[in-house]
Amino acid sequence: STLLEKLIPKELFSKLDIASKMLLGYMILVLLTMVVIIYALVSLQRLNSLNSRIVTVDVPVQAAAEKMREALIGQDTYEKRYIILNSPDMRILFLKRGEEFQHWMDVLQKLPDNQHLPLSQIVGLYQEYTDLFEKEVTMLRSGKREGAARISNGQIKKKSEKIMEILFQMSASANSARDDKMQRISFIGKSAFLMTALLSILSVILGVIGSLVVTHHISSSMKKLSVATGQIAVGNFDYDPQIKSRDE
């Protein structure tokens, strides 16, 4: 009771009526509840943003890079077979795998926030790769097999290896970024749970204290009035109930 008396903001309460005091007690609980809700929503938004980045960027980048590497390996295989067999069918298969490579390139170019990806470098190298293959085809048709073989074992091989290296690094970076975001999601989730639980407990405690303070203030005045009524009933009309507030 003494502690509650100390917690009563007497100056503020002296200016309020009973309804305002009760409303103030409820508003403390509402305010603290809003703090908990806002914190939880902000944490959920951060988690949603990280999840969205994983789903819309990291996973598609990694998948596309792997598919492009597979397509390029296929093209390398058909290019070598074309040198050996000089078969138009191998050229057609080479071009089909090239269409697959280009499809996944288009997927990457349509991704949101793809500025950090080395797409222009891949496009340039791949264009040089396909131009060298067409040059190789022209030389084979002209009977210059040795020259075509030099291109195959030299320039084309280097271009393919460079593209492979870039795609591998891009896939590894996307995988690392995904793992980093997963760790952040785990950390934010645990922190949000603990902080939300702490804020909820704190809001309940402060809400209860606020309600007790208001209730005690009102009930103590009512008790003083009850005592004063008893004194007046027995004829003690000079009794002072010592009620300081100026409310009802």
Side-chain angles (χ1 to χ4, degrees):
S1 178
T2 305
L3 177 61
L4 291 177
E5 285 287 346
K6 291 180 179 179
L7 292 175
I8 294 174
K10 295 181 174 58
E11 185 177 347
L12 174 63
F13 275 14
S14 66
K15 301 175 183 178
L16 302 176
D17 57 20
I18 292 177
S20 298
K21 293 172 186 176
M22 294 178 66
L23 181 62
L24 179 62
Y26 288 121
M27 286 302 297
I28 293 172
L29 184 57
V30 171
L31 180 62
L32 292 170
T33 303
M34 289 298 298
V35 170
V36 174
I37 293 173
I38 290 171
Y39 178 81
L41 290 176
V42 170
S43 298
L44 287 174
Q45 177 58 35
R46 291 174 64 193
L47 292 174
N48 182 64
S49 177
L50 289 170
N51 277 318
S52 178
R53 288 279 300 173
I54 291 174
V55 173
T56 61
V57 178
D58 297 333
V59 171
V61 166
Q62 187 177 14
E66 293 299 324
K67 293 292 184 181
M68 290 167 75
R69 289 177 66 196
E70 291 176 9
L72 191 59
I73 290 171
Q75 284 192 289
D76 285 343
T77 301
Y78 293 128
E79 182 267 328
K80 293 296 185 290
R81 290 179 183 177
Y82 184 77
I83 284 285
I84 297 169
L85 303 174
N86 195 14
S87 169
D89 291 340
M90 295 299 105
R91 180 173 180 270
I92 292 172
L93 291 172
F94 177 92
L95 295 175
K96 282 187 176 296
R97 296 310 298 267
E99 291 174 0
E100 182 181 339
F101 186 96
Q102 191 58 54
H103 164 73
W104 288 107
M105 175 59 71
D106 293 339
V107 169
L108 289 175
Q109 290 175 332
K110 292 177 182 177
L111 289 178
D113 192 24
N114 61 9
Q115 294 84 358
H116 66 287
L117 301 175
L119 300 184
S120 58
Q121 187 179 4
I122 295 174
V123 169
L125 287 169
Y126 188 72
Q127 184 62 52
E128 294 173 9
Y129 176 80
T130 54
D131 290 345
L132 285 168
F133 177 72
E134 291 303 322
K135 184 178 179 180
E136 178 185 306
V137 170
T138 303
M139 295 184 75
L140 274 176
R141 288 174 178 173
S142 302
K144 300 177 182 178
R145 180 175 291 275
E146 290 183 5
R150 280 196 300 271
I151 292 175
S152 176
N153 296 324
Q155 293 173 289
I156 285 183
K157 183 180 179 182
K158 289 180 180 178
K159 296 296 180 186
S160 176
E161 289 175 349
K162 183 62 177 177
I163 295 171
M164 283 288 191
E165 180 184 351
I166 294 173
L167 290 174
F168 178 80
Q169 290 176 350
M170 189 167 67
S171 176
S173 296
N175 186 58
S176 177
R178 184 193 62 186
D179 291 344
D180 178 64
K181 289 183 180 68
M182 292 297 292
Q183 290 179 356
R184 289 167 62 189
I185 286 172
S186 177
F187 176 77
I188 292 172
K190 291 177 181 177
S191 299
F193 174 79
L194 292 174
M195 187 58 70
T196 301
L198 181 63
L199 288 173
S200 298
I201 294 171
L202 184 63
S203 67
V204 170
I205 293 172
L206 293 178
V208 169
I209 291 174
S211 300
L212 288 175
V213 167
V214 173
T215 303
H216 174 74
H217 176 71
I218 296 173
S219 64
S220 63
S221 297
M222 293 177 67
K223 288 178 181 178
K224 290 177 182 179
L225 284 173
S226 177
V227 171
T229 303
Q231 290 293 323
I232 293 171
V234 297
N236 186 7
F237 299 108
D238 296 325
Y239 180 79
D240 185 359
Q242 296 292 318
I243 297 177
K244 305 295 183 180
S245 63
R246 294 189 292 273
D247 54 20
E248 292 90 340

